[in-house]
Amino acid sequence: MGFPHPNHPKETIVLSQYFGDADARTYAGWVKRGGYEALKKALGMAPEAIVEEIKASGLRGRGGAGFPTGLKWSFMPKGDHKPHYLVCNADESEPGTFKDRELMRWTPHQLIEGCAIGAYAIGAERCYIYIRGEFTEPWRVMTKAVEEAYTNGALGANVFGTGKRIDIVLHRGAGAYICGEETAMMNSIEGRRGNPRIKPPFPAVAGLFGMPTTINNVETLTAVSHILNRGAAWYKGLCLSSPKSTGTKLFSVCGHIMKPGNYEVTMGFPMKSLIHDLAGGMRPGRRLKAVIPGGSSVPIMNAVEAEAALCDYEGIVAQGSMLGSAGFIVMDDSADIVYEIYRLAKFYAHESCAQCTQCREGTAWTTKILERILKGQGKREDLDLLLDLSEQMTGKTICVLSDSCATPIVSGIKKFPEEFDAYLSRAKAPALAAV
Amino acid sequence: MSGTAHAARHDAPDQPVFVGQVKDKLEALFPSYPTRMACLLPALWMVQEARGWISPDAIAEVATVLGLTPAYVRGVATFYTMYHLHPVGRHFIQVCGTSPCHLCGSDEVMKAILQQTGCGEVGATSPDDRFTVIEVECLGACGFATPILVDDDFHDSVTPERVAGVLARYP
């Protein structure tokens, strides 16, 4: 099993404090470390007060969209006498991202506590945690932790003797990236194909089983107990740049990097330092060429943009990309940008649910055209064709998988035209064998 | 090691799956969901755990148990790539090949696995029925490239040199 790196002095450790500490996985170990105090505190508060506290902290969704968490919670209806549901999105499948895996592997009770607080705050008695099918080890760790939480009264019909009911049900996915999209996830829990739903209605109005539902990412929910324990003002104060981006964030760094891993830093931390100091920089003799910072669904950044960016929602937008899920795919000067973009397009073509024509056809055809270019059979017009297809794939479908496929293609052609040109002019040998 | 998961895969598929403990396990889930249909993904997992794959007969059985039609169950089962709708080798190997792992040399890992298992090509089962190898899209472990799943066991940081040692654990 992969093991976490020792903390770097420039990290701000909140969520990842107990990574690598096997004792923290147990209920007793978690309680010894101050665990479940926040849940006890929350159960003594009015649900509205918790929502206000989370709003005041500035916490935003860590799954990719960055929507303010407290605001999302406040959309849940009050006094409607319907069952409410909390769904925790643990379907982490965005290429480059591997933070939720580690949060569940090492600190399952941190997540359970966050889910329980979240459920209580939105008036839900049940929370489904949707864990992707391939996460066999996180599944085993979470299963054991949920059992322990029930045994110790942290979950069940009478949580810590307060008379309040909070149940957690683990639901295992079965291999579909699209189920990380919140409406597809609800369909998947309901026993349907994972096709995204048209919005509106939004989940807070009619979500899982037609009932008011909130969907939050693993990392978002794990932050909740810390905010209740230490206060919204403390969390809001964790900010190095834009006041709209607060708290700490786990950044997954992978690809061509000396020390791949998850690094927890305060929002607004310089990307240059994150890549070169914390993650150890490039391999000897190599230079940074590009970073795709948000998982794979965001524009590719060249080295100049990456080294100028500040790591928060606004800072990365200012340098032409998006924070997304904060999985940095780092590429040095040995990387073949055209090939990597092709590989991502292939990913999206494989993962398209095929519901919308633009996505089903667009992801498949962009993959085929990129393949043709890599086989040395590309034509000059292919770049315009790719851009035209990408245009048709953007903003026209039920969910954003199609946009996510188009984004690296468009930014890649724009920022690395010489790499495409090398194949089109036949100056570079084909990367794929022509069949 | 979870080789036992596949031990019964040559059983005649018309034997019902949902009897005894498996039936109890499924019924224990019913209170966790407001509909029976919501137990479909868990039920399909139970079939695969018991049999190694999900046969047409098992699809019909799941449909009966949950009050759905076989066509509906099949429609859902085909959506999700982890359900085996055909028999596979005793051990099922999934190798990540998405960009972050590709940057770190997953192609070479795949080559070594195909060669050493005797599978020859992606998607194939080895002549001795021991392994089936597929390329999988992002396993969510990009910092531990190249990750592979053998049955339910996760192996990280696999290199071509480490392949033989991993395979030896799966007779």
Side-chain angles (χ1 to χ4, degrees), chain A residues 222-263:
Chain A
T222 51
V224 165
S225 62
H226 300 281
I227 294 169
L228 285 197
N229 277 332
R230 300 166 78 167
W234 159 78
Y235 197 80
K236 207 174 166 58
L238 294 169
C239 172
L240 297 172
S241 174
S242 166
K244 290 182 189 162
S245 292
T246 62
T248 63
K249 173 91 192 73
L250 286 167
F251 290 84
S252 308
V253 187
C254 65
H256 289 152
I257 193 83
M258 286 303 282
K259 290 194 274 180
N262 285 299
Y263 296 89

Side-chain angles (χ1 to χ4, degrees), chain A residues 72-83:
Chain A
K72 193 187 236 185
W73 288 4
S74 74
F75 293 156
M76 291 293 276
K78 283 150 206 85
D80 56 343
H81 305 295
K82 285 181 185 171

Side-chain angles (χ1 to χ4, degrees), chain A residues 84-88 111-112 115-116 119 124-129 166-170 221:
Chain A
H84 290 188
Y85 295 110
L86 176 68
V87 176
C88 171
L111 177 59
I112 292 169
C115 288
E125 292 191 337
R126 190 179 293 164
C127 166
Y128 292 97
I129 304 181
I166 300 169
D167 286 311
I168 288 184
V169 177
L170 302 180
L221 288 166

Side-chain angles (χ1 to χ4, degrees), chain A residues 15-16 42 206 227 312 327 364 409:
Chain A
L15 307 177
S16 60
I227 294 169
D312 62 20
I409 296 173

Side-chain angles (χ1 to χ4, degrees), chain A residues 15-36:
Chain A
L15 307 177
S16 60
Q17 185 175 359
Y18 300 111
F19 282 13
D21 178 352
D23 189 49
R25 285 174 163 176
T26 64
Y27 183 85
W30 192 245
V31 168
K32 214 189 302 168
R33 288 162 182 76
Y36 289 106

Side-chain angles (χ1 to χ4, degrees), chain A residues 283-307:
Chain A
R283 297 176 291 180
R286 292 290 174 193
R287 281 180 304 109
L288 178 65
K289 185 195 265 185
V291 177
I292 313 185
S296 59
S297 302
V298 303
I300 189 166
M301 303 172 96
N302 60 32
V304 174
E305 291 168 327
E307 292 187 341

Side-chain angles (χ1 to χ4, degrees), chain A residues 1-8 11 13 16-22 25 98 101-103 105-107 250 259-263, chain B residues 143-144 156:
Chain A
M1 286 303 112
F3 211 78
H5 57 85
N7 295 340
H8 189 280
E11 285 186 273
I13 304 295
S16 60
Q17 185 175 359
Y18 300 111
F19 282 13
D21 178 352
R25 285 174 163 176
F98 47 98
R101 162 194 285 276
E102 296 303 281
L103 285 167
R105 280 180 68 204
W106 294 112
T107 55
L250 286 167
K259 290 194 274 180
N262 285 299
Y263 296 89
Chain B
F144 316 119
D156 68 273

Side-chain angles (χ1 to χ4, degrees), chain A residues 352-401:
Chain A
S352 170
C353 84
Q355 189 177 209
C356 305
T357 309
Q358 294 90 333
C359 180
R360 182 183 64 242
E361 301 299 321
T363 55
W365 281 105
T366 49
T367 305
K368 282 180 190 166
I369 294 164
L370 287 162
E371 203 171 71
R372 176 162 84 198
I373 293 173
L374 286 164
K375 283 178 178 169
Q377 297 166 343
K379 293 178 265 197
R380 288 276 157 201
E381 308 88 88
D382 281 350
L383 293 187
D384 286 335
L385 186 55
L386 281 171
L387 292 173
D388 184 41
L389 273 167
S390 299
E391 173 67 26
Q392 301 305 325
M393 290 163 70
T394 304
K396 297 183 172 63
T397 46
I398 293 175
C399 81
V400 294
L401 188 141

